[in-house]
Amino acid sequence: MTPDQDPVPTRPDDRRPTPADVRAVAFTAAGMLHPGYDAADVEKFRALVADELARSAAERERLRAQVRALEGQLAGVVPPEPPSEQAVRILAVAQQTADQYVAEAEDFSRQMTSDARAQHQEQLRAARESAGAIIQAAHEAAARMVSSGDAPPVAEDADPERAREEVAYLKAFGQAVRVQLRSYLEALITDVETEWGQASPAAARQAPVRTPAQRAEGAPTGPLNVVAEVPPPDSAEPGRAGSDGVEVSGRRR
Amino acid sequence: MDIPAMRKSFAKAAAHGDDAPLWFYSHLFLTHPETRDLFPVSMAHQRDRLFAALGDVVHYVDDVDRLVPMLQQLGRDHRKFGTVAAHYPAVGASLLATLEHFDDDWDDDLATSWTEAYGVVADVMVEAAEKAADEPPWWDADVVAHERRTVDVAVLQVVPRERFEHVPGQSVSLETQLRPRLWRYYSIANAPRPDGVLELHVKARDGGPVSTALVRSATVGHVLRFGPPMGRLALDPESDRDLLLVAGGTGLAPLKAVVDQVARQGPLRRVDLVVGARTEDAFYDREDLQRLEQAHSWLTVTLAVSEDPGSSLEQGVAGEVAARHGPWTSREVLVAGPGVMVDDTAARLLRDGVRQERIRTEVFAPSRPGPDVDGEVRE
């Protein structure tokens, strides 16, 4: 069927057609000149539309009720509003204040520790220097004492008798030292000759030469009581120079 | 996604310097106050880091091969901070609000582009975090021993509560509740042991919040929080070459771990360890090193002092002394310590003919200089 006629009569816009309206509408009879619809078709369709409208209205009511129920559930939950610019700005300033405090605290801590460390190192350095100076002074004093230790302290008041006694003492002392030195050197020379002799067997003497000490004791022992052991010239050993009369045991042959 | 427009809008925000991340975080903490606990009290350094990271992302947004691994690593790392998937939308919302605030030409298209881009980033990070879910996000570790060896240096022994596997030479980022939410890296000074004890060498930096707390305030029973182990300074498992290890300051820690590895797992080889310090009393681990040297015939330890003429130890900086005992051309070389010392040592060894690929280094430096009172962070 061709819907070239509006079957529903016009109504005021604010009133929506209800199913009852659809069922109750009275169509004007078609004239001879205008062909109309088959009445049975129209009745059938009208019933269809009325049912559909009723069903839609019922569904709408149901949904409305459901929405109301859900809204009631959400009533307690407030969706968060986006924060205002002022609020964000206030929080930003607060954060900056906190950052400032922390930065100051860290800066203070850094200065304190680096100052403390610098002071500590300075004190250590000064202590080391003064300890070094004390040790140095002690060495010098010892050296001075050693170099002037042989001579007895000369009295300020020049007592001629005293002076003569001292001179005699010094002479005797010098003599004793010379004797000791000579016998030591002789022993050394003999020692050296013996060593040299061993190094070149062709030039060696048949019997081992004994040092004065050995001859005195009559036993083949090495030189004893030497002030220092002087290594032979071709020896690779580093010289062990005893100081201040340290006794060093000689080599046994 | 209109990438050029996005880059433009980001540049506008970045042009405001510190104000943009400051706005971002203030917005985030207002809309989601529960996120404030994830961050430290002082945010100056955090702000720098965030916008630097964002800048990188924006810069590489069309270089997927570069961007994705970066984001995956970030996503995994963020687990130790307690970040969960639910945080990402909150951050995205605040990011958009910040960009909008600083851009007068903000429009819906930009909002859509940015939302899309951020969604991709967040997805990659969350997925990477979930993939790493078979290991714990962090490890709680109890301090079982704390020895103050010198004025500045302490040696801590800690035991993680869950199994913690590391490769000798690696370091770990850790946090202490004395200075919440500040993470610092320290090298582990031993190889994995049956009792699980880890040794840490901590030097208190001037003004450094975490290191000073660890040296001066931490005690036995204190609890630290560890992230996953990381770092590349490790022995080549394929090689059994002899080793030269040169350490300055607390750079001794990873090298001591390597010595421990050779002792525990082998293969045995000759190891020469040169440790440098300014003065003789700055050697904080001398006793233990001597014990190790006596216990192991393959280990030789040389101590070097650079500013202590009265000491009987060898004089010179660590690199100088190491080079003196050379040549080391057949050895694998590991160097760890302050930047100047590492560079000097490497230069000397290269000059003496050691091959570049045989030298591996790690620089130990303060995590950051503190911000000064103007809030400026100077490198």
Side-chain angles (χ1 to χ4, degrees), chain B residues 14-211:
Chain B
H16 285 85
D18 197 43
D19 284 348
L22 182 62
W23 187 272
F24 165 78
Y25 278 116
S26 307
H27 188 278
L28 177 66
F29 297 152
L30 269 178
T31 49
H32 296 273
E34 69 276 10
T35 58
R36 186 63 185 86
D37 283 337
L38 300 177
F39 294 92
V41 169
S42 168
M43 295 283 287
H45 299 277
Q46 183 64 31
R47 290 197 287 270
D48 285 341
R49 261 188 240 126
L50 169 80
F51 249 53
L54 273 177
D56 279 344
V57 169
V58 168
H59 187 65
Y60 291 116
V61 70
D62 44 9
D63 186 353
V64 172
D65 293 333
R66 192 139 169 187
L67 187 66
V68 168
M70 219 169 82
L71 291 175
Q72 285 172 333
Q73 181 64 36
L74 261 184
R76 275 191 295 269
D77 280 347
H78 273 65
R79 293 175 74 219
K80 71 179 183 238
F81 303 136
T83 314
V84 294
H87 289 127
Y88 286 89
V91 168
S94 292
L95 176 64
L96 254 70
T98 306
L99 291 168
E100 186 180 341
H101 182 256
F102 287 102
D103 187 354
D104 295 327
D105 304 322
W106 186 263
D107 58 12
D108 287 337
D109 290 333
L110 266 177
T112 317
S113 289
W114 271 104
T115 310
E116 199 183 324
Y118 180 78
V120 170
V121 166
D123 285 342
V124 171
M125 287 178 70
V126 167
E127 198 184 313
E130 277 164 12
K131 275 219 188 81
D134 52 348
E135 65 172 22
W138 66 76
W139 286 257
D140 283 325
D142 300 287
V143 175
V144 298
H146 181 286
E147 287 173 30
R148 185 90 174 266
R149 298 277 177 90
T150 71
V151 170
D152 287 337
V153 177
V155 171
L156 282 76
Q157 314 270 351
V158 303
V159 178
R161 290 184 188 162
E162 287 181 34
R163 229 168 82 97
F164 185 86
E165 299 263 328
H166 75 280
V167 174
Q170 280 190 315
S171 50
V172 64
S173 67
L174 61 85
E175 177 204 29
T176 163
Q177 279 308 106
L178 295 168
R179 303 283 182 267
R181 302 304 178 178
L182 292 175
W183 293 80
R184 298 289 182 267
Y185 292 96
Y186 289 100
S187 281
I188 301 174
N190 59 313
R193 282 163 48 163
D195 57 5
V197 172
L198 304 176
E199 184 175 306
L200 300 174
H201 298 182
V202 182
K203 178 175 163 118
R205 303 276 178 188
D206 292 349
V210 178
S211 53

Side-chain angles (χ1 to χ4, degrees), chain B residues 12 31 52 59 83 96 114 121-122 128 133 189 192 203 223 227 252 274 281 284 287 297 304 312:
Chain B
K12 282 188 202 168
T31 49
H59 187 65
T83 314
L96 254 70
W114 271 104
V121 166
K203 178 175 163 118
V223 180
L252 174 62
V274 178
D281 42 12
Y284 62 88
E287 249 180 61
S297 56
S312 56

Side-chain angles (χ1 to χ4, degrees), chain A residues 112-122, chain B residues 152 204 206 216:
Chain A
M112 289 291 293
T113 35
S114 66
D115 282 353
R117 181 174 305 112
Q119 267 193 31
H120 159 78
Q121 280 173 351
E122 179 56 36
Chain B
D152 287 337
D206 292 349
R216 303 204 170 102

Side-chain angles (χ1 to χ4, degrees), chain A residues 163-231:
Chain A
R164 269 200 292 281
E165 273 182 6
E166 280 174 9
V167 165
Y169 171 78
L170 279 173
K171 277 192 182 151
F173 184 78
Q175 184 68 18
V177 166
R178 267 199 293 281
V179 166
Q180 250 188 8
L181 209 52
R182 171 167 291 136
S183 62
Y184 163 64
L185 282 173
E186 276 178 5
L188 272 182
I189 288 169
T190 318
D191 212 330
V192 165
E193 282 174 347
T194 317
E195 278 302 296
W196 280 76
Q198 284 181 350
S200 56
R205 297 185 211 164
Q206 296 310 312
V209 177
R210 290 156 74 186
T211 63
Q214 285 173 332
R215 282 180 230 123
E217 298 214 21
T221 57
L224 300 173
N225 279 4
V226 293
V227 173
E229 187 181 42
V230 179

Side-chain angles (χ1 to χ4, degrees), chain A residues 80-89 91-93 95-96 98-100 102-104 106-107 109-111 113-114 117 120-121 124 128, chain B residues 18-19 22-23 26-27 29-31 36 41-44 47 101 152 204 206-207 209 216 279 281 308 368-375:
Chain A
E81 286 178 20
S84 69
E85 287 214 2
Q86 191 186 20
V88 176
R89 215 169 280 129
L91 192 58
V93 169
Q95 180 65 57
Q96 281 177 318
D99 293 343
Q100 178 87 348
V102 171
E104 282 179 14
E106 286 184 4
D107 210 38
S109 161
R110 188 177 328 122
Q111 275 181 21
T113 35
S114 66
R117 181 174 305 112
H120 159 78
Q121 280 173 351
L124 258 185
R128 279 207 188 99
Chain B
D18 197 43
D19 284 348
L22 182 62
W23 187 272
S26 307
H27 188 278
F29 297 152
L30 269 178
T31 49
R36 186 63 185 86
V41 169
S42 168
M43 295 283 287
R47 290 197 287 270
H101 182 256
D152 287 337
D206 292 349
R216 303 204 170 102
T279 59
D281 42 12
D308 196 357
R368 53 162 168 109
D372 66 15
V373 293
D374 298 321

